[in-house]
């Protein structure tokens, strides 16, 4: 009796399939699965979108990651962090900063991961002044910098030849009890 029953994929099975695409970098399939969900009269949820954004981030498809972020009915911190990380990895520091700004306008509290992506993006092109502003914003928001935060800021300083400020930041890092990475 059960052999004739047709199983239809549900939200959970689609989300699992989209997440599985990340391991192989199959961003096109992840996007196809999102479209297929809609064809099946299923509404993608935050997990669906976040998984697809993460697949795009991992595959270096920052444009699609940002497009999906914009298409989400309700974004969250994970959504923004993945999109900012995708922009950062592609050297799109201005887009990472724009996503951080949009996140705050949407009243979504950023995390250290949010700031790390933006500071790392700034570090990749030596934008120390912007990175310093982000560090200051973290302090104002009471978001505690971690090893990644400090390392990215020190990298930005190093690219601008500001070794004295880099040493000062390293001292601040140690004073805050954050261990440097080696």
């Amino acid at each position: 009796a059960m052999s004739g029953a047709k199983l239809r994929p549900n939200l959970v099975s689609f989300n699992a399939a989209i997440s599985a695409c990340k391991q192989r970098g199959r961003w096109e399939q992840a996007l196809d699965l999102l479209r297929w969900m809609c064809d099946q009269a299923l509404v993608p949820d935050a997990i669906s979108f976040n998984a697809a954004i993460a697949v795009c981030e991992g595959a270096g498809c920052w444009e699609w990651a940002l497009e999906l972020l914009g298409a989400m009915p309700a974004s969250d911190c994970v959504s923004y962090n993945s999109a900012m990380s995708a922009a950062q990895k592609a050297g799109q520091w201005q887009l990472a900063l724009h996503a951080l700004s949009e996140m705050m306008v949407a009243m979504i509290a950023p995390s250290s991961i949010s700031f790390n992506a933006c500071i790392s993006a700034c570090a990749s092109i030596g934008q120390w002044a912007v990175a310093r502003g982000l560090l200051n914003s973290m302090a104002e928001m009471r978001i505690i910098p971690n090893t990644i935060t400090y390392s990215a800021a020190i990298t930005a300083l190093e690219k601008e030849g500001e070794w004295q400020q880099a040493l000062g930041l390293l001292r601040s890092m140690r004073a805050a009890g954050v261990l440097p990475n080696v």
Side-chain angles (χ1 to χ4, degrees), residues 20-131:
C21 291
K22 184 174 183 180
Q23 296 169 346
R24 302 265 185 213
R26 308 222 178 205
W27 62 273
E28 298 101 335
Q29 285 181 319
L31 296 179
D32 287 342
L33 286 165
L34 273 179
R35 287 186 205 100
W36 190 27
M37 285 177 79
C38 296
D39 293 344
Q40 298 294 311
L42 290 171
V43 178
D45 63 4
I47 295 169
S48 314
F49 278 100
N50 287 344
I53 291 169
V55 173
C56 292
E57 172 200 350
C61 298
W62 61 271
E63 300 99 330
W64 278 108
L66 293 172
E67 183 77 24
L68 289 169
L69 178 65
M72 286 184 75
S75 309
D76 59 17
C77 188
V78 173
S79 317
Y80 278 99
N81 288 348
S82 291
M84 285 184 279
S85 182
Q88 175 259 317
K89 288 174 183 172
Q92 300 291 326
W93 66 278
Q94 291 151 322
L95 292 174
L97 292 175
H98 182 72
L100 180 64
S101 175
E102 282 184 355
M103 181 181 194
M104 290 193 252
V105 167
M107 303 299 287
I108 298 170
S111 66
S112 62
I113 295 169
S114 312
F115 281 96
N116 290 348
C118 291
I119 292 170
S120 294
C122 292
S124 68
I125 54 146
Q127 285 286 337
W128 164 241
V130 178

Side-chain angles (χ1 to χ4, degrees), residues 158-175:
E158 180 248 332
K159 288 196 176 189
E160 289 196 15
E162 298 289 343
W163 63 271
Q164 291 167 323
Q165 287 187 51
L167 286 176
L169 197 52
L170 187 59
R171 282 192 285 278
S172 297
M173 180 180 183
R174 287 194 177 138

Side-chain angles (χ1 to χ4, degrees), residues 123-179:
S124 68
I125 54 146
Q127 285 286 337
W128 164 241
V130 178
R132 179 179 31 222
L134 291 167
L135 275 173
N136 291 339
S137 293
M138 286 181 79
E140 290 167 10
M141 298 174 81
R142 299 198 188 321
I143 298 172
I144 300 169
N146 57 29
T147 302
I148 295 168
T149 313
Y150 283 108
S151 296
I154 290 168
T155 298
L157 284 166
E158 180 248 332
K159 288 196 176 189
E160 289 196 15
E162 298 289 343
W163 63 271
Q164 291 167 323
Q165 287 187 51
L167 286 176
L169 197 52
L170 187 59
R171 282 192 285 278
S172 297
M173 180 180 183
R174 287 194 177 138
V178 178
L179 297 174

